[in-house]
C-alpha cells in the first residue's frame, strides 16, 4: 500500500501536465479548423495557417534605396600594388581644404586685407597671387590699400583681377597705389556672397570628380592583373571616399550660407 502511494505521488505531476496539454485551447491566429468526413464519421482537424509572403512595391524599393548600404573599408596597404588609396584620399582632402581656405579668405561679409591675398593676377610672367606682387594693408575700417611700387607694370592687371574677384570691389588707382573701398554690408551683398560660395563649391566638386576619374583610370590598367571582385571593391572604396567628401563640401557650404545670411 505504501509503495503504491509512493508511485502515485511520483506519477501524478506528469499525469496532470498531460491533461493540461490536452485541454489547452488552440490559438485561432495560428491554426484553422478544417472539417472533413472520413469513414462516415465527422472529425475536426487542425492545420497550421499558411505563411503569406509580402513583396515590396516599386515605391517601397525606391524609398529604401540608399539605406543600409554596406560600407567598404579596405586596408590601403593590401592594395598598394594596384593603386595608392592613401594618395587618392590626400588629393580629395586637399580639395576640401582648398574650399575651406577659400571660404575663410574670400567669402566673408567683412572684407579684410587677407581677403585679397589669394586673388589671382595674370601677368607677363604667369599667374601670381596679389600678395606676391603688391603690399596689402588696411588704411581704415572702410579702405584697403595695395601698393604696387615693386611691380608697377602689373598695376593694371591687379586692378582687373580685384574688380573681377566676385567680391563686389571697385578699386581706384593713384599712380602705383590701388585704393579698395570696402562695400557696405547689404542684403544684396550677402546674397551675392552666398552665390559665390555655391560657385566655388561646385568648382571644388569638379576638382573632386577629376580626382575620382583619374583614380578609376589608374585602376582600369590593373584589370588584367587582379580579379574582377577586387577591382569592384576598390572602385566602391574610391566612390565611397568621393561621396563622403561631397557630403563634407555640402556641409561646409550650408554652414557658410547660414553665416552669410545671418
Amino acid at each position: 500500500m505504501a509503495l503504491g502511494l509512493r508511485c502515485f505521488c511520483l506519477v501524478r505531476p506528469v499525469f496532470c501536465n498531460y491533461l493540461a496539454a490536452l485541454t489547452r485551447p488552440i490559438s485561432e491566429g495560428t491554426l484553422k479548423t478544417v472539417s472533413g468526413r472520413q469513414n462516415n464519421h465527422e472529425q475536426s482537424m487542425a492545420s497550421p495557417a499558411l505563411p503569406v509572403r509580402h513583396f515590396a512595391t516599386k515605391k517601397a524599393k525606391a524609398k529604401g534605396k540608399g539605406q543600409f548600404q554596406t560600407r567598404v573599408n579596405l586596408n590601403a596597404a593590401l592594395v598598394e600594388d594596384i593603386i595608392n588609396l592613401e594618395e587618392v584620399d590626400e588629393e580629395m582632402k586637399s580639395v576640401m581644404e582648398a574650399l575651406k581656405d577659400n571660404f575663410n579668405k574670400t567669402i566673408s561679409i567683412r572684407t579684410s586685407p587677407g581677403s585679397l591675398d589669394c586673388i589671382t593676377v595674370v601677368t607677363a610672367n604667369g599667374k601670381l597671387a596679389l600678395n606676391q606682387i603688391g603690399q596689402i594693408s588696411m588704411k581704415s575700417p572702410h579702405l584697403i590699400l595695395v601698393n604696387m611700387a615693386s611691380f608697377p607694370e602689373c598695376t593694371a592687371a591687379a586692378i582687373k583681377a580685384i574688380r573681377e574677384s566676385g567680391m563686389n570691389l571697385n578699386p581706384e588707382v593713384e599712380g602705383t597705389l590701388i585704393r579698395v573701398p570696402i562695400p557696405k554690408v547689404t542684403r544684396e551683398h550677402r546674397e551675392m556672397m552666398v552665390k559665390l560660395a555655391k560657385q566655388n563649391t561646385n568648382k571644388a566638386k569638379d576638382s573632386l570628380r577629376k580626382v575620382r576619374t583619374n583614380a578609376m583610370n589608374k585602376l582600369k590598367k590593373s584589370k588584367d592583373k587582379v580579379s574582377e571582385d577586387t577591382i569592384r571593391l576598390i572602385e566602391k572604396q574610391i566612390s565611397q571616399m568621393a561621396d563622403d567628401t561631397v557630403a563634407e563640401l555640402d556641409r561646409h557650404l550650408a554652414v557658410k550660407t547660414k553665416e552669410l545670411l545671418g
Side-chain angles (χ1 to χ4, degrees):
M1 183 69 177
L3 180 62
L5 287 174
R6 186 180 302 172
C7 291
F8 179 77
C9 291
L10 292 174
V11 174
R12 186 170 177 266
V14 178
F15 183 72
C16 291
N17 289 339
Y18 174 73
L19 288 177
L22 289 177
T23 57
R24 186 179 296 120
I26 299 174
S27 173
E28 293 182 0
T30 57
L31 298 177
K32 61 181 180 179
T33 301
V34 180
S35 297
R37 192 179 294 272
Q38 185 177 3
N39 297 327
N40 297 324
H41 290 285
E42 200 172 320
Q43 63 178 9
S44 296
M45 298 183 297
S47 61
L50 294 175
V52 179
R53 183 176 180 181
H54 298 281
F55 292 91
T57 62
K58 290 183 178 180
K59 187 175 181 181
K61 287 181 180 179
K63 185 177 180 181
K65 189 177 181 180
Q67 295 181 354
F68 307 109
Q69 294 287 333
T70 304
R71 288 183 65 85
V72 178
N73 189 18
L74 293 177
N75 188 332
L78 297 178
V79 296
E80 62 181 357
D81 293 337
I82 305 170
I83 190 170
N84 191 333
L85 287 178
E86 290 183 352
E87 185 179 295
V88 175
D89 186 52
E90 286 300 319
E91 290 179 6
M92 290 185 179
K93 285 180 178 177
S94 67
V95 172
M96 182 71 255
E97 292 302 318
L99 182 70
K100 288 165 65 176
D101 188 59
N102 175 270
F103 279 1
N104 292 332
K105 290 183 177 180
T106 63
I107 312 297
S108 177
I109 296 174
R110 297 291 180 184
T111 307
S112 63
S115 303
L116 277 62
D117 283 349
C118 295
I119 290 179
T120 302
V121 182
V122 180
T123 69
N125 297 321
K127 295 181 179 180
L128 298 171
L130 183 59
N131 62 352
Q132 292 180 303
I133 58 176
Q135 185 179 357
I136 305 172
S137 60
M138 196 83 173
K139 176 69 174 177
S140 71
H142 306 289
L143 183 65
I144 295 175
L145 298 179
V146 182
N147 192 333
M148 299 294 296
S150 300
F151 296 89
E153 68 279 9
C154 298
T155 302
I159 293 172
K160 184 175 184 293
I162 294 170
R163 187 172 287 122
E164 296 176 356
S165 64
M167 290 188 284
N168 194 31
L169 301 175
N170 294 301
E172 304 166 356
V173 63
E174 295 179 2
T176 57
L177 187 66
I178 302 174
R179 301 165 62 87
V180 185
I182 298 175
K184 293 181 179 180
V185 181
T186 62
R187 184 68 183 179
E188 183 181 2
H189 179 63
R190 290 175 182 270
E191 291 175 353
M192 188 191 67
M193 288 289 102
V194 170
K195 184 178 179 181
L196 186 60
K198 290 179 180 179
Q199 290 175 352
N200 290 346
T201 302
N202 288 334
K203 288 179 182 178
K205 289 181 180 179
D206 289 340
S207 299
L208 181 65
R209 202 172 292 115
K210 289 179 182 177
V211 173
R212 180 185 180 279
T213 300
N214 290 338
M216 291 298 189
N217 289 338
K218 288 181 183 178
L219 192 58
K220 287 179 181 178
K221 296 178 181 179
S222 302
K223 282 192 173 182
D224 297 333
K225 302 176 184 177
V226 295
S227 67
E228 291 183 5
D229 289 341
T230 301
I231 292 293
R232 278 196 291 268
L233 278 175
I234 299 174
E235 286 177 343
K236 189 172 182 180
Q237 176 78 60
I238 294 171
S239 296
Q240 181 178 286
M241 290 160 60
D243 291 342
D244 290 345
T245 307
V246 167
E248 190 72 6
L249 291 172
D250 288 336
R251 188 182 71 80
H252 279 281
L253 175 60
V255 171
K256 194 65 180 180
T257 300
K258 185 177 180 180
E259 173 194 321
L260 292 171
L261 294 179

